[in-house]
Amino acid sequence: NAGVTQTPKFQVLKTGQSMTLQCAQDMNHNSMYWYRQDPGMGLRLIYYSASEGTTDKGEVPNGYNVSRLNKREFSLRLESAAPSQTSVYFCASSANSGGALPGELFFGEGSRLTVL
Amino acid sequence: GNSVTQMEGPVTLSEEAFLTINCTYTATGYPSLFWYVQYPGEGLQLLLKATKADDKGSNKGFEATYRKETTSFHLEKGSVQVSDSAVYFCALTGGGSNYKLTFGKGTLLTVNP
């Protein structure tokens, strides 16, 4: 099983450039999430989508936009990248229905983004 | 709001040593508690979980008990191996229909042969 797949795995941008991180899951999960991981900060939620057709802000949404394209795919867009957005980004998904335990997330391998 | 506090790392142990990583939390309602593990270069994986007070989660020799009276969920393992070297995250959900996870900052564990 592929699980949660993120692309690209590595990206270098210049300040002001835009890019989109792609995420797809093949587990038929309802909910999807974007986190960023920074040294000493743990994981912080950027945006999430509780179900297809809905998106909500997390803890650190500024500078980002998201699209839940369909049940499988959830993309994260940086419209004008800044050095403060240098981070490792993780996409995750969870079932949240049918008896699944809330909080049991499945993570992708991460996308390392550097903004110069 | 919800929050999770983990012991600061890094933690360095010799193989076969006893491991404890402390975790305390603040939450409203009845949260579920989790430990996630991140091996080098990988995403996070669920290690164990507990959904109510006095539950004990266990997996791969690791254990943690949900202590409501002390709002704690400490991770323990009796004999660590080099392959346990990773970053460990304590996390909780807010209970009810709140499916969002709140993570601690993570604790880096290095086990030397």
Side-chain angles (χ1 to χ4, degrees):
Chain A
N1 278 345
V4 178
T5 303
Q6 295 180 228
T7 56
K9 288 188 166 38
F10 300 94
Q11 184 72 50
V12 179
L13 293 176
K14 295 180 180 177
T15 297
Q17 288 185 317
S18 63
M19 76 158 298
T20 299
L21 297 175
Q22 307 286 354
C23 175
Q25 53 90 9
D26 62 3
M27 295 172 283
N28 200 35
H29 285 170
N30 293 323
S31 300
M32 298 185 74
Y33 312 80
W34 277 105
Y35 286 88
R36 60 177 290 173
Q37 183 179 28
D38 301 291
M41 301 293 290
L43 276 80
R44 293 180 291 171
L45 182 63
I46 305 171
Y47 270 93
Y48 69 103
S49 172
S51 61
E52 187 179 358
T54 69
T55 60
D56 285 287
K57 295 178 180 179
E59 188 182 349
V60 288
N62 291 345
Y64 305 95
N65 285 301
V66 290
S67 296
R68 184 74 183 267
L69 304 170
N70 48 55
K71 192 171 186 180
R72 290 187 65 246
E73 299 173 288
F74 188 41
S75 62
L76 178 71
R77 182 160 178 83
L78 287 70
E79 290 291 352
S80 178
S84 61
Q85 294 177 305
T86 294
S87 187
V88 181
Y89 292 84
F90 287 97
C91 180
S93 69
S94 62
N96 296 342
S97 67
L101 177 67
E104 187 164 359
L105 270 59
F106 294 79
F107 284 82
E109 293 185 347
S111 299
R112 185 175 295 274
L113 174 66
T114 301
V115 183
L116 303 174
Chain B
N2 297 335
S3 66
V4 175
T5 303
Q6 290 181 235
M7 64 184 287
E8 295 282 333
V11 174
T12 303
L13 296 174
S14 298
E15 207 164 22
E16 299 184 1
F18 184 84
L19 169 71
T20 300
I21 300 177
N22 290 337
C23 171
T24 58
Y25 67 89
T26 302
T28 56
Y30 302 95
S32 295
L33 302 175
F34 305 83
W35 278 99
Y36 279 80
V37 59
Q38 183 181 29
Y39 298 105
E42 299 183 9
L44 280 71
Q45 306 173 22
L46 179 64
L47 179 60
L48 53 83
K49 62 197 177 195
T51 59
K52 62 183 187 297
D54 299 324
D55 267 2
K56 177 184 283 188
S58 62
N59 186 26
K60 299 182 180 180
F62 291 89
E63 293 182 341
T65 301
Y66 189 146
R67 301 287 189 200
K68 191 171 176 62
E69 64 274 15
T70 54
T71 61
S72 65
F73 193 54
H74 304 320
L75 182 68
E76 296 182 334
K77 187 174 185 182
S79 176
V80 293
Q81 305 300 312
V82 172
S83 57
D84 294 326
S85 298
V87 181
Y88 293 82
F89 293 91
C90 186
L92 64 82
T93 59
S97 61
N98 183 348
Y99 295 97
K100 293 183 291 180
L101 271 177
T102 298
F103 285 91
K105 293 183 178 181
T107 302
L108 173 63
L109 170 67
T110 301
V111 180
N112 294 319

